[in-house]
């Protein structure tokens, strides 16, 4: 490991030293930072190519450096010839400006050790790409070693060279003189550019239609860098010392052959005997066999053969070559169109961009990313073109890796996220939101992508709002919870409440229903469900959307509605909505189905709770029985209180309720109230004696407060009678029959005060006051009976379970008591009633409302008994089947609905179709 690190360190140090020594002292370094050695090019691949940046603008460039140490073996005059030739070529290139020629961004600078100039960013020379790696760094860069030309790159590259030669021959009246692989440069985007004008020849008569060029005789004694590459020269250049534009066309034919033949030219030339080699080559060209061109595509073989003709007049000119069918490839034409975009108007550009998505899949990814993408992103400065360019950029982004997207596309997209005009930009981004959220880093999503979604929800266009609401559920899982809770949901709610479009309101509810699964339970209960009660309109689609949200929340296993919320808020709201006159039968049935489910769930949960509480009370009572307390602290009759209550209100009714079935109607007891007057008088006297006993008990604070005035006997008698009647009425309503009181039996009566106790000694609530207690005077003294039936039924129904205290009943003599004390209970204007009228018997089979709270009814639902049901509802997924918003029903508006409803919500022109599409 250490040796590897040392080797790497030495390599880096060597490369740094090479770069430093190569350009040290050159004026180019004042303005440009020189980076790593990336390629080589020019005559004999003598120029080393480095990447670099301009210090002032950070603009990317390529720095060409010629190290003078390469020519140390030559004599001084030869060195000067080489330097002069190289200078001439760069100076000529600097003066020429054309898209097909390499662009010089900083002219040639000379120092003691090197020559250097800067151009547009460069990838490599065509010679490097085809396998000639002279003057390259060691090891050879991987991107060059593994580079393979695609057919479309080859076709368009040769077309570009042809266009460059056409410019030189027709526009500048110049012959290049040394067109070869070394002098064709591939720039950073993949375009082929011509350089190496060291041996270019300008026309002697540029104004004439037939220019004449003066050619120098081949001098084999000159250094190779002072001579053109002989393998690409036309025969006439050597044999007859003549040249013209056709000589460059011969060189183009050799270049085409080399491109399809792994970088090898047509003939190998012996540079020591150049004339003999060319003479032999001339004979071979005259009788060229098809085997010589077998690697060239068939559709261009004939044209290459013409370019390699011995006769210059037979060779096609550069303009003719640009028009051959071989270059009519859809990819080549597309790339050519991009290179000429600056000549097009907006209408022509828009038509081209509309058809581009059909072409992009046919092009190699490298060509699309490095050639087409930069041209597309450059159009972002023109807002009118963005809606046409953006779909193509996003289509390219889909094929890029995440790293490529972040590095090549996102920087250009960031300013476009903030554009609000034209409105189509938002539409395009919304349609590709899943792509953006998947490949964009989280910090850029928060800063750029989500704010765009928020602007779409607040856009004035109804169509934008509808589209945004429709697609939000598709990428809701990619939005972080704080953003959804604090920014997205409030805007959806605002859009629903403030819009005048029915479609937007319905889509808002559908959107909320689909993203409920990404919210937590209490946020839905505290924010979403109360929001439903704020919606003003009552169209059927809106009502069904609200029902759907209730149903989703109620049934979803992660959410659920607590029974307290069901009872106090959800059910009252749903019941009020269910009877809306706009609903049809099917929609009403949907409401009632949900309401019944909620009621059943609430009943089952609460019943389970009460059953568990009852079991706990029974266990506690068993403990109390097995461990009795101090008898002096509790009356002996207290344990019988629970039994008394069970005897009166238990029976079949209570048992039936506990068993989940309706209790049978109690059998009539005709003998319960058929007491003779003597028996009633005896009971009254016994009641009076019981009252005296209560006065002596310390646990009766109410009795201690009674006055010892002269009317105490009458009040006690009245209270005893009323209590006795109430007791008798209650006994008459009991289900289980009881024997008539006999001497020595124990009978319960209302205590003057005290708290009602359950079977375990716990306080019993009557549902209105807890704990519950009754005062003697409160039961009878302050109540005026409205009619004969009041005491028989009303007393039993308006009071809660009576708390019976035991007292000893003794048989007394049959003595008629003085009943005159009862006269004070009634005013003179009211007729007196008899005791029989005050306590009528209840008709057989009559159901008492109060008693039904304790007993079961025939329609009691028993299917929900068993284990407690979770508050979240029936476990189930939130998929397409479980969520009503993914298969909504009965959302449609009635056919006769007006365009403006009673709540002022306007129906958009497409609302019927929208609702039909949305809800089926």
């Amino acid at each position: 490991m250490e040796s590897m690190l040392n080797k790497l360190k030495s390599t880096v140090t060597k490369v740094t030293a090479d770069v430093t020594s190569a350009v040290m002292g050159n004026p180019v370094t004042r303005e440009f930072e020189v980076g790593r050695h990336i390629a080589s090019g020019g005559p004999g691949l003598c120029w080393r190519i480095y990447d670099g940046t301009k210090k002032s603008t950070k603009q990317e460039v390529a720095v060409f450096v010629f190290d003078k140490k390469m020519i140390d073996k030559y004599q001084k005059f030869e060195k000067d010839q080489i330097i002069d030739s190289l200078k001439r070529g760069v100076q000529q290139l600097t003066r020429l400006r054309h898209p097909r020629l390499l662009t010089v961004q900083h002219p040639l600078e000379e120092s003691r050790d090197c020559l250097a100039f800067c151009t547009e960013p460069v990838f490599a020379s065509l010679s490097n790409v085809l396998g000639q790696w002279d003057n390259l760094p060691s090891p050879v860069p991987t991107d060059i070693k593994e580079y393979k030309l695609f057919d479309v790159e080859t076709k368009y590259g040769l077309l570009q060279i042809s266009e460059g030669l056409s410019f030189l021959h027709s526009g500048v009246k110049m012959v290049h003189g040394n067109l070869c692989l070394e002098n064709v440069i591939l720039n950073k985007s993949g375009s082929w550019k011509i350089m190496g004008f060291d041996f270019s020849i300008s026309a002697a008569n540029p104004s004439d239609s037939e220019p004449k060029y003066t050619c120098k005789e081949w001098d084999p004694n000159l250094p190779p860098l002072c001579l053109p590459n002989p393998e690409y020269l036309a025969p006439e250049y050597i044999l007859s010392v003549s040249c013209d534009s056709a000589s460059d066309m011969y060189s183009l034919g050799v270049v085409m052959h080399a491109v399809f033949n792994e970088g090898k030219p047509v003939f190998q030339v012996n540079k020591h005997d150049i004339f003999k080699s060319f003479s032999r080559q001339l004979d071979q060209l005259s009788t060229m066999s098809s085997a010589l061109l077998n690697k060239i595509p068939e559709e261009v073989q004939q044209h290459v053969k013409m370019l390699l003709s011995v006769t210059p007049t037979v060779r096609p000119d550069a303009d003719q070559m640009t028009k051959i069918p071989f270059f009519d490839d859809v990819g080549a034409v597309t790339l050519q169109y991009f290179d000429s975009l600056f000549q097009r108007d907006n209408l022509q550009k828009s038509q081209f961009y509309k058809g581009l998505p059909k072409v992009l899949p046919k092009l190699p990814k490298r060509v699309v990313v490095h050639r087409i993408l930069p041209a597309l992103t450059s159009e972002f400065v023109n807002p009118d073109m963005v809606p046409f360019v953006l779909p193509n950029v996003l289509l390219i982004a889909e094929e890029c890796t995440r790293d490529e997207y972040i590095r090549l596309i996102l920087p250009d997209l960031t300013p476009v996220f903030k554009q609000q005009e034209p409105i189509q930009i938002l539409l395009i981004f919304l349609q590709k939101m899943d792509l953006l959220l998947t490949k964009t880093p989280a910090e850029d999503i928060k800063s750029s992508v989500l704010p765009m979604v928020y602007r779409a929800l607040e856009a004035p266009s109804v169509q934008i709002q509808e589209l945004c609401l429709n697609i939000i559920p598709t990428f809701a899982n990619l939005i972080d919870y704080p953003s959804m809770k604090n920014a997205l949901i409030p805007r959806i709610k605002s859009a629903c409440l403030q819009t005048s479009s029915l479609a937007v309101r319905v889509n808002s509810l559908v959107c909320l229903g689909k993203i409920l699964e990404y919210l937590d339970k209490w946020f839905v209960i505290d924010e979403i469900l109360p929001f439903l009660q704020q919606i003003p309109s009552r169209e059927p689609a809106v009502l069904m959307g609200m029902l759907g949200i209730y149903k989703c929340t109620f049934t979803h296993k992660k959410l659920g509605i607590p029974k307290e919320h069901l009872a106090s808020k959800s059910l009252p709201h749903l019941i009020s909505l269910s009877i809306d006159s706009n609903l049809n039968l099917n929609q009403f049935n949907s409401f009632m189905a949900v309401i019944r489910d909620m009621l059943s769930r609430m009943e089952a949960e609460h019943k389970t709770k009460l059953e568990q509480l009852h079991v706990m009370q029974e266990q506690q009572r068993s403990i109390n029985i097995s461990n009795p307390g101090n008898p002096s602290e509790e009356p002996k009759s207290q344990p019988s209180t629970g039994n008394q209550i069970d005897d009166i209100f238990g029976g079949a009714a209570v048992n039936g309720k506990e068993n989940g079935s309706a209790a049978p109607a109690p059998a009539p007891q005709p003998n319960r109230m058929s007491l003779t007057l003597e028996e009633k008088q005896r009971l009254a006297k016994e009641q009076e004696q019981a009252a005296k006993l209560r006065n002596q008990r310390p646990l009766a604070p109410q009795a201690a407060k009674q006055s010892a005035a002269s009317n105490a006997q009458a009040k006690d008698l009245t209270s005893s009678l009323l209590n006795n009647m109430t007791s008798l009425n209650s006994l008459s309503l009991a289900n289980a029959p009881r024997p008539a009181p006999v001497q020595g039996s124990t009978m319960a009566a209302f205590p003057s005060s005290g708290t009602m106790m359950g079977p375990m000694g716990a306080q019993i609530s009557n549902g209105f006051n807890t704990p519950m207690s009754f005062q003697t005077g409160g039961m009878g003294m302050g109540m005026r009976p409205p009619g004969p039936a009041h005491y028989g039924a009303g007393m039993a129904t308006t009071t809660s379970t009576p708390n019976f205290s035991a007292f000893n009943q003794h048989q007394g003599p049959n003595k008629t008591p003085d009943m005159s004390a009862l006269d004070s209970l009634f005013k003179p204007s009211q007729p007196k009633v008899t005791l029989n009228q005050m306590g009528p018997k209840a008709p057989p089979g009559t159901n008492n409302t109060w008693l039904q709270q304790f007993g079961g009814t025939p329609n009691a639902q028993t299917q929900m008994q068993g284990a407690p049901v979770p508050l979240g509802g029936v476990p189930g997924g939130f998929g397409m089947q479980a969520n009503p918003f993914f298969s909504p029903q009965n959302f449609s508006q009635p056919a006769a609905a007006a365009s403006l409803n009673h709540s002022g919500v306007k129906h958009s022109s497409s609302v019927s179709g929208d609702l039909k599409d949305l809800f089926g």
Side-chain angles (χ1 to χ4, degrees), residues 166-242:
S166 177
F167 164 72
L168 291 176
H169 298 165
S170 303
V172 187
K173 307 292 184 182
M174 177 185 290
V175 173
H176 186 278
N178 192 24
L179 184 65
C180 57
L181 297 182
E182 295 92 336
N183 287 328
V184 176
I185 302 295
L186 276 65
N187 70 0
K188 204 66 174 286
S189 64
S191 297
W192 292 16
K193 303 292 186 82
I194 299 175
M195 68 166 291
F197 287 85
D198 306 41
F199 310 104
S200 62
I201 305 171
S202 297
N205 54 342
S207 60
D208 295 347
S209 59
E210 293 292 336
K212 294 182 180 181
Y213 301 95
T214 303
C215 181
K216 293 182 180 181
E217 186 177 356
W218 181 270
D219 186 358
N221 296 320
L222 291 175
L225 290 179
C226 294
L227 294 171
N229 190 337
E231 294 177 341
Y232 291 84
L233 284 179
E236 65 269 15
Y237 192 99
I238 302 296
L239 298 179
S240 61
V241 193
S242 63

Side-chain angles (χ1 to χ4, degrees), residues 402-429:
R402 192 170 188 267
D403 292 338
E404 291 172 339
Y405 168 81
I406 295 173
R407 178 168 47 90
L408 302 174
I409 300 178
L410 184 59
D412 295 308
L413 278 183
T414 301
V416 186
F417 286 141
K418 302 176 182 178
Q419 295 185 16
Q420 301 186 30
E421 294 293 337
I423 199 66
Q424 291 88 347
I425 297 177
L426 275 176
L427 289 173
I428 296 169
F429 275 133

Side-chain angles (χ1 to χ4, degrees), residues 782-827:
M783 299 177 60
R784 182 184 182 92
H790 181 77
Y791 287 95
M795 288 287 290
T797 59
T798 56
T799 61
S800 294
T801 309
N803 186 13
F804 295 90
S805 298
F807 67 94
N808 294 327
Q809 183 178 4
H810 301 279
Q811 182 70 31
N814 293 332
K815 181 179 179 181
T816 302
D818 186 7
M819 305 297 290
S820 61
L822 293 176
D823 294 342
S824 60
L825 295 175
F826 308 100
K827 295 181 181 179

Side-chain angles (χ1 to χ4, degrees), residues 702-744:
Q702 200 61 298
K705 295 181 180 180
Q706 293 180 355
S707 175
S710 59
N711 59 349
Q713 182 177 2
K715 290 184 178 180
D716 289 341
L717 179 59
T718 303
S719 176
S720 300
L721 287 173
L722 289 176
N723 287 334
N724 195 20
M725 287 188 292
T726 305
S727 176
L728 292 174
N729 288 332
S730 301
L731 290 171
S732 68
L733 295 174
N735 294 329
R738 293 180 182 272
V742 295
Q743 184 177 0

Side-chain angles (χ1 to χ4, degrees), residues 70-86:
M70 294 177 61
I71 56 175
D72 285 346
K73 62 182 180 179
Y74 296 105
Q75 299 294 327
K76 184 179 184 303
F77 76 94
E78 291 177 327
K79 291 180 182 178
D80 293 340
Q81 286 179 318
I82 294 172
I83 296 299
D84 290 342
S85 176
L86 294 175

